[in-house]
Amino acid sequence: MSNAALALQEKYEQVIAIYDRVLTTNPREARAWNNRGFALMQLGRYQEAIASYNRALAINPNHAKTWNNLGFALRKIGNYEKSIAAYDRALAIDPNYARAWNNRGFLLKQLGKYGEALIAYEKALAIDPNYTTARQNYNSLIQEMGLENLTP
């Protein structure tokens, strides 16, 4: 592991420790649980991240970003059914959440559901035409499908 990667890992460990202290005094702080989950996810500690996201959602079930983050962590551990459900929940709360549409599309592509993935990417790009990751995912998928002349 490079020095930069070690430094970044150490930084996330420090962030987690800070959130742990915050949550000791205020365990009902949903945003802190979500952010703790994000830091854990950056370290590849997906099960712990999922537990943090679930704590956040128990406090505030209407936070689209936490549902999206939960979907991402669930996808990383291979729980695709629950991952799609989490993305769908995020999108039910905020249908204009381009990142959730992109993440949903990425998972659908992984599952071989290319038509549904294409629609998800198109929705992400309709919301944010400058969303580079969604554009790259969309372009990759249309090339894979042999539809290079298609533009959203």
Side-chain angles (χ1 to χ4, degrees):
M1 189 178 289
S2 72
N3 286 342
L6 283 171
L8 191 58
Q9 180 177 349
E10 191 174 298
K11 186 77 136 176
Y12 281 119
E13 293 288 354
Q14 291 170 359
V15 167
I16 292 164
I18 291 167
Y19 282 118
D20 286 345
R21 284 195 302 273
V22 167
L23 291 164
T24 298
T25 59
N26 189 0
R28 299 215 26 94
E29 180 56 51
R31 189 173 306 174
W33 283 111
N34 177 65
N35 293 345
R36 181 181 186 275
F38 184 82
L40 287 162
M41 205 163 51
Q42 300 312 302
L43 295 173
R45 293 163 54 183
Y46 300 114
Q47 294 290 354
E48 292 173 82
I50 289 166
S52 285
Y53 294 140
N54 283 328
R55 291 286 302 263
L57 292 167
I59 298 162
N60 180 6
N62 295 314
H63 193 244
K65 185 175 183 178
T66 304
W67 282 109
N68 180 65
N69 290 345
L70 176 61
F72 189 91
L74 288 164
R75 179 178 63 80
K76 293 299 265 184
I77 65 164
N79 196 332
Y80 302 136
E81 188 175 314
K82 286 185 179 180
S83 177
I84 282 286
Y87 293 139
D88 287 347
R89 191 73 188 268
L91 292 165
I93 295 164
D94 183 0
N96 292 313
Y97 192 6
R99 185 168 297 225
W101 281 114
N102 177 69
N103 288 342
R104 188 177 196 281
F106 189 89
L107 176 54
L108 290 166
K109 180 184 176 194
Q110 265 189 310
L111 296 175
K113 298 180 178 184
Y114 291 171
E116 291 178 65
L118 194 63
I119 291 167
Y121 290 142
E122 287 173 345
K123 287 184 179 188
L125 291 167
I127 294 162
D128 182 358
N130 298 316
Y131 186 6
T132 305
T133 303
R135 173 74 55 202
Q136 290 168 344
N137 289 338
Y138 176 85
N139 289 340
S140 171
L141 179 58
I142 62 171
Q143 285 178 347
E144 197 168 321
M145 294 173 71
L147 303 170
E148 287 87 354
N149 296 325
L150 188 66
T151 56

